[in-house]
Amino acid sequence: MSKKSNKKISPSEAKILHVLWQKQPVSSKQIAEQLINESWSLVTTKTLINRLLKKGYLSYEKKGRQYLYHSKITKENYLKIENNNFIKRLYNGSLSGLFASFSEHEKISREELDKIKLIIQQIEDNT
């Protein structure tokens, strides 16, 4: 995405993006077909698409009478934004606070702990 949008993506809008990350470009009808388990009407799907267009997260091309949609944000960038928002909202921006809280309330397996240590080592090696 070239211009950074500061507009939040709702959980329903994220479902639209997940469809687009699997295959692009797609029509609103194809998106609705992929989200059939949501029990949304085609109108609801189009409403969510229009919200994402207005927020700058989608683009489209017109082919004949059909509009084909593209995501302007990668899944990786979306996850980065959502992860940062989550940590800011729940842990006042403290990653160590997240880990401390999680370790107090959840049992971390030896395998998971080893993976976390490896990630920390890689971070230390790169700084």
Side-chain angles (χ1 to χ4, degrees):
M1 201 168 140
S2 57
K3 187 180 176 187
K4 195 173 184 181
S5 178
N6 61 356
K7 310 256 175 144
K8 293 194 190 266
I9 297 171
S10 74
S12 295
E13 293 165 345
K15 290 177 183 181
I16 302 286
L17 290 171
H18 282 280
V19 171
L20 289 167
W21 292 326
Q22 292 173 24
K23 180 183 176 189
Q24 313 188 59
V26 293
S27 68
S28 57
K29 183 179 178 191
Q30 291 169 314
I31 293 170
E33 288 169 356
Q34 290 293 311
L35 296 170
I36 197 149
N37 292 336
E38 297 299 323
S39 301
W40 295 342
S41 69
L42 183 58
V43 172
T44 300
T45 301
K46 287 182 177 182
T47 298
L48 292 168
I49 290 169
N50 283 327
R51 287 182 190 167
L52 287 165
L53 283 166
K54 287 179 185 172
K55 291 178 180 181
Y57 291 113
L58 296 186
S59 64
Y60 67 90
E61 60 182 284
K62 189 171 181 185
K63 286 215 173 172
R65 294 176 49 129
Q66 192 174 45
Y67 289 88
L68 300 176
Y69 299 95
H70 304 266
S71 173
K72 292 172 67 178
I73 184 172
T74 65
K75 185 175 183 177
E76 293 76 19
N77 282 341
Y78 169 74
L79 291 174
K80 180 179 173 185
I81 291 166
E82 288 300 311
N83 286 337
N84 285 333
N85 288 338
F86 174 79
I87 293 168
K88 284 178 190 173
R89 187 175 70 250
L90 296 179
Y91 298 97
N92 202 28
S94 170
L95 188 56
S96 61
L98 166 69
F99 280 111
S101 176
F102 188 81
S103 66
E104 288 172 10
H105 303 300
E106 301 292 329
K107 177 150 176 51
I108 302 174
S109 71
R110 173 52 64 196
E111 182 181 338
E112 283 296 311
L113 193 54
D114 289 342
K115 287 179 184 178
I116 292 168
K117 287 179 181 178
L118 182 61
I119 292 168
I120 291 170
Q121 184 62 49
Q122 289 171 343
I123 292 169
E124 287 177 339
D125 290 347
N126 290 329
T127 56

